[in-house]
Amino acid sequence: MDPISDNRLMEDVRDGKVERLAILFERHHIMLFNFFLRLTGNRSVSEDLVQDVFLRILKYRETYLSQSRFAVWMYQIARNVHVDHLRKQKPELPIDEQFDEPAAAGPDTVERLSSGEEAATLRRALDRLPLRKKEILLLSRFQGMKYREIAELMGCDIGSIKSTIHRAVKELGKIYFELQGGETP
Amino acid sequence: MTCVTIREGFVDYLTGELPAGDLAEFRGHLASCPACREELEGLSAVWTKLGVLPQESPSGALRSRFYGMLEAYKEGLGKERVRISLGQILSDWLGRLMPRRPAYQIALALVLMAAGLGSGYLMSVRSRSTARTEVAGLRGEVDAMRRIVAVSLLKQASPSERLLGVSWSARIDRPGEEIIQALLDTLNHDANVNVRLAAVDALYLFYNHPEVKEGLIDSLSRQSSALVQMSLISLLVEIRDRRAVEALERLVQDEKLNPKVKKRAELGLVQLS
């Protein structure tokens, strides 16, 4: 028997069977946690943000339209949750400017999430990418999203997503190269 | 294809979104163009390198907090439903009864005043019965949610989460086949003795289900831990199932059996006789 689709489960949640959110949580919370972890570099903040996403899913469940994939809707909420988290962190800075500046304050705020110098350098390199580029790159590389879905999620056209991924990969390689002290990846 | 169009396709190539029909031409161009090949190799190296970032696991607290939040939300939702449905019933009822002419409205008010005291008692009885129905419905929903949580926790890698799963199972009023099977599987196959012991305790709560009795008797010969064996023997004696006698007799005959377990099994046989 095929597993019930995410969209069907979310329709049930929308229509009042909120206990079905447990299945969606089990399917997505680890990916979502890793998405936030790569954005924030902080485990406990990432767990709080995951919790916040599911709370908002419950809160806004009646607004769910099943036309697009559930994951797209969920990551839209995840982005909003992350933006609100950034606002709390740096209330004085307009959010548009936060999107253009490096996603994390610097290497000091990044926890050593696991052993491996290579992974640590890569995380530091990712943290130097502007937030928008980093988000799009993570969604494409780790969350398995198609251009069309990322475009829908970010509210822009497919061409701009493609070129952003291209630039992000190029820029990441350059930063990584610098951090490695000149050794190409 | 020109270098410009080829380079536009680099990201498609990395993400696997390059149309299959374009692949041959794409590769053909790369074979003959060192500049494009070099650029793609650079991008591809970074793309592949991202794979070294491991997938991290959140702490067990995240799951507990989520289920706590879900349960709290459901409880709030249940109260909201009761409030809305009672309000709507009252409003519809009054709307239908109210006559349009003022004289009739006054007459109706007088009749209602006279009937008020008498009907008060009946109304309170009815509202209690409605509340009972709503509470029963809510209990059913909470039970269903607990079943989902318990099964999910029992499948986790961490023993503490599986212990939590056993304790969630014990909180279910009507466990159903899925939970009973999950608990029996835990009892027979969990690597951790504490989790298996907790499963014995949880199954005790559901011993009136025939498959539980059968599963417990069957499990006795599968257990290797003396602690779990003794706990199972106590439970089988407690529920006084005659089929347990044969299982205990077989156990006692096992030469490798721990002496303390053997003593407990012999005592059990006396208690069951």
Side-chain angles (χ1 to χ4, degrees):
Chain A
M1 197 174 71
D2 287 341
I4 309 169
S5 73
D6 287 350
N7 284 27
R8 183 60 214 270
L9 286 167
M10 190 56 222
E11 283 166 23
D12 286 347
V13 172
R14 179 192 62 198
D15 299 339
K17 293 179 186 165
V18 293
E19 67 281 354
R20 298 214 130 198
L21 187 66
I23 305 172
L24 290 168
F25 173 83
E26 292 302 337
R27 285 186 189 172
H28 294 282
H29 78 280
I30 294 179
M31 289 285 270
L32 203 51
F33 170 74
N34 278 278
F35 175 66
F36 285 132
L37 193 56
R38 285 168 187 142
L39 282 177
T40 66
N42 183 306
R43 295 185 68 92
S44 83
V45 167
S46 301
E47 288 188 5
D48 287 347
L49 297 181
V50 172
Q51 171 85 353
D52 208 1
V53 168
F54 283 96
L55 182 65
R56 288 195 195 187
I57 289 177
L58 278 177
K59 200 171 163 187
Y60 301 115
R61 66 194 168 89
E62 281 165 17
T63 67
Y64 174 70
L65 303 167
S66 36
Q67 289 139 350
S68 61
R69 199 156 72 94
F70 164 74
V72 174
W73 187 66
M74 185 183 72
Y75 279 101
Q76 251 165 359
I77 294 176
R79 286 194 69 227
N80 292 338
V81 163
H82 182 237
V83 165
D84 289 348
H85 162 73
L86 289 178
R87 279 206 182 102
K88 281 183 210 153
Q89 299 291 104
K90 303 177 198 170
E92 73 286 357
L93 201 63
I95 205 70
D96 290 349
E97 288 177 32
Q98 291 186 21
F99 272 95
D100 293 331
E101 70 163 24
D108 292 345
T109 62
V110 180
E111 289 176 12
R112 300 284 290 188
L113 298 167
S114 71
S115 58
E117 205 169 314
E118 208 174 21
T121 310
L122 204 54
R123 280 191 200 100
R124 280 167 53 212
L126 267 173
D127 282 323
R128 291 199 188 176
L129 281 183
L131 181 56
R132 187 182 152 79
K133 274 185 191 161
K134 187 177 172 182
E135 278 182 322
I136 292 175
L137 181 60
L138 292 179
L139 288 168
S140 171
R141 180 65 177 83
F142 294 103
Q143 314 307 126
M145 285 204 173
K146 303 277 177 206
Y147 303 143
R148 179 182 50 75
E149 293 174 327
I150 303 174
E152 186 188 339
L153 197 157
M154 309 287 281
C156 58
D157 62 280
I158 292 174
S160 126
I161 296 298
K162 266 175 73 167
S163 61
T164 305
I165 297 173
H166 192 136
R167 285 201 305 273
V169 175
K170 220 169 170 174
E171 210 170 315
L172 184 69
K174 200 170 154 236
I175 299 167
Y176 184 87
F177 176 77
E178 285 166 9
L179 291 173
Q180 286 283 83
E183 196 184 316
T184 44
Chain B
M1 277 190 183
T2 63
C3 287
V4 175
T5 52
I6 283 291
R7 286 175 189 200
E8 280 171 4
F10 280 173
V11 176
D12 298 328
Y13 182 77
L14 296 179
T15 58
E17 290 194 53
L18 189 72
D22 294 350
L23 206 57
E25 201 177 347
F26 186 84
R27 285 186 177 145
H29 179 94
L30 287 177
S32 62
C33 177
C36 284
R37 198 165 59 238
E38 194 183 334
E39 182 165 347
L40 181 63
E41 277 168 6
L43 293 172
S44 186
V46 177
W47 190 259
T48 311
K49 179 69 77 186
L50 281 166
V52 305
L53 291 179
Q55 174 142 299
E56 307 272 342
S57 295
S59 74
L62 174 61
R63 181 177 275 109
S64 308
R65 280 169 61 205
F66 166 77
Y67 284 109
M69 181 264 290
L70 187 60
E71 190 154 13
Y73 183 86
K74 278 176 67 72
E75 275 171 22
L77 201 64
K79 284 177 192 159
E80 186 78 5
R81 271 187 205 147
V82 173
R83 206 163 55 232
I84 290 169
S85 62
L86 286 177
Q88 273 174 350
I89 289 166
L90 194 66
S91 156
D92 293 351
W93 186 68
L94 284 174
R96 277 202 301 275
L97 281 183
M98 191 55 75
R100 291 184 186 276
R101 291 176 62 176
Y104 289 143
Q105 284 178 3
I106 293 166
L108 179 65
L110 290 171
V111 170
L112 284 175
M113 268 174 70
L117 284 172
S119 61
Y121 174 74
L122 284 172
M123 287 282 283
S124 72
V125 171
R126 270 182 206 162
S127 69
R128 258 178 279 166
S129 126
T130 312
R132 267 200 295 273
T133 316
E134 294 282 353
V135 168
L138 274 177
R139 270 194 195 137
E141 285 178 23
V142 170
D143 230 27
M145 198 269 295
R146 283 184 181 148
R147 278 198 286 273
I148 295 170
V149 179
V151 170
S152 141
L153 284 169
L154 284 171
K155 288 177 186 161
Q156 297 306 309
S158 140
S160 62
E161 289 190 25
R162 296 201 302 277
L163 267 176
L164 205 59
V166 174
S167 96
W168 272 84
S169 310
R171 291 161 65 187
I172 296 165
D173 294 332
R174 287 180 298 279
E177 203 178 313
E178 188 186 17
I179 286 292
I180 286 175
Q181 201 46 57
L183 283 172
L184 286 171
D185 284 347
T186 303
L187 172 63
N188 289 328
H189 306 296
D190 201 289
N192 187 295
V193 174
N194 291 325
V195 179
R196 297 208 299 275
L197 281 171
V200 176
D201 292 340
L203 283 162
Y204 173 66
L205 300 170
F206 310 130
Y207 75 82
N208 50 352
H209 291 254
E211 61 269 38
V212 171
K213 284 186 185 172
E214 217 166 282
L216 290 170
I217 293 167
D218 176 58
S219 177
L220 194 57
S221 59
R222 296 165 178 250
Q223 297 299 331
S224 54
S225 151
L227 280 173
V228 180
Q229 284 173 326
M230 302 232 297
S231 180
L232 268 174
I233 295 167
S234 303
L235 178 55
L236 290 171
V237 170
E238 183 90 10
I239 61 180
R240 307 201 69 79
D241 192 292
R242 282 184 191 170
R243 287 170 294 176
V245 174
E246 283 177 33
L248 286 176
E249 280 171 350
R250 274 200 305 276
L251 192 69
V252 169
Q253 282 160 14
D254 183 353
E255 288 173 4
K256 290 177 194 163
L257 190 66
N258 177 305
K260 282 185 183 166
V261 178
K262 189 172 182 176
K263 208 171 162 188
R264 181 69 191 89
E266 283 168 348
L267 179 65
L269 280 168
V270 174
Q271 287 170 315
L272 283 172
S273 61

